[in-house]
Amino acid sequence: MGISIWQLLIVLVIVLLLFGTRKLRNLGSDLGGAIRGFKEALSGADEADREEPKRTERIEAEKTVEPSADGGVQEERPEKPERESL
C-alpha cells in the first residue's frame, strides 16, 4: 500500500497552484547550484590533497645553493621563518 501515481500528480498540481511555476523554477535552479557548488568543493578538496605533496617537493627543489666568495659552494642555508607581529 504505497503512494500511487495519481496521488503524486494531485500533490504536484496543488504545489504548482500554491507556489507558481516561477518560484518552483527558481527553487530548482538554486538547489541545482547548491549541489553543483558542493560537488566542486568536494573535488577541490581532493585536488588540494593531491597537490600538497607536489607543492612541497617543488619548494624543496627550488632551494638555492649560494656560491662562496672563493668560488666554492657553501652549504644550503635554511630560510628563517618570518615572525608574525602580534
Side-chain angles (χ1 to χ4, degrees):
M1 195 179 250
I3 299 175
S4 72
I5 190 74
W6 293 109
Q7 292 171 335
L8 288 175
L9 286 175
I10 291 171
V11 169
L12 179 64
V13 168
I14 292 172
V15 168
L16 281 172
L17 289 174
L18 287 176
F19 295 108
T21 57
R22 183 174 293 165
K23 275 195 175 184
L24 288 179
R25 189 176 344 134
N26 289 342
L27 179 67
S29 65
D30 290 345
L31 182 62
I35 291 172
R36 193 175 314 116
F38 181 73
K39 285 182 180 179
E40 288 175 1
L42 284 180
S43 67
D46 291 341
E47 289 174 7
D49 290 342
R50 282 184 245 140
E51 289 292 324
E52 182 64 30
K54 292 179 185 176
R55 186 167 31 126
T56 17
E57 290 171 5
R58 187 175 61 237
I59 290 172
E60 289 175 0
E62 290 176 352
K63 287 183 181 177
T64 59
V65 178
E66 297 178 12
S68 66
D70 61 359
V73 177
Q74 292 181 343
E75 291 185 27
E76 269 186 35
R77 291 188 199 167
E79 295 181 20
K80 295 181 183 177
E82 295 180 21
R83 293 184 62 177
E84 293 182 15
S85 60
L86 297 177

